[in-house]
Amino acid sequence: MARKQHLVTGHLEGIGAEVFVQFPEVITAMVAGHHGIYALYNGERLYYVGLATDLKNRLKAHLRDRHKKLWDRFSVYITSTDEHIKELESLMLRVIQPEG
C-alpha cells in the first residue's frame, strides 16, 4: 500500500518580523531552502500572500522591499514539493484577496 504524502509538511504561524534579527539561526534552521506559501500580517490583518522556493530568503527580501514597513508578523506553510504552490497561492489570493 502506498503511503500518503502530505502537501504541507510544516508550518510556523504568527511569528514576529523581529525574529530575523533576534534569532536568525532559528529561522534558518526551520525554513531555509524550503519552498511553500507565506502570509504577511499587519497586526491581526492579513496583508499579503505569496509563494517562494526559498522561504527564508523571500521573507528577508520583504524586510527591504516595498512591503518592508507594511507587515510585522508572518506565517509560513512548508510544502513537500513545489509542484502545486502556484495553484495554492492563486487559490488563497482569490479567496482571501489581501490588500498587498
Side-chain angles (χ1 to χ4, degrees), residues 7-65:
L7 179 59
V8 176
T9 60
H11 67 279
L12 298 170
E13 294 184 325
I15 306 300
E18 71 279 355
V19 79
F20 282 101
V21 174
Q22 295 173 350
F23 306 103
E25 66 285 345
V26 173
I27 293 299
T28 297
M30 297 181 112
V31 300
H34 291 286
H35 35 75
I37 303 294
Y38 63 93
L40 304 179
Y41 298 88
N42 185 352
E44 294 300 314
R45 216 164 117 220
L46 179 64
Y47 165 71
Y48 186 89
V49 172
L51 64 86
T53 55
D54 187 330
L55 288 164
K56 177 188 165 241
N57 287 337
R58 188 67 183 122
L59 289 167
K60 281 183 77 172
H62 283 315
L63 291 169
R64 299 181 303 271
D65 67 13

Side-chain angles (χ1 to χ4, degrees), residues 69-81:
K69 302 245 185 218
L70 301 173
W71 64 281
D72 57 6
R73 293 182 310 111
F74 69 93
S75 295
V76 295
Y77 304 92
I78 299 167
T79 56
S80 57
T81 71

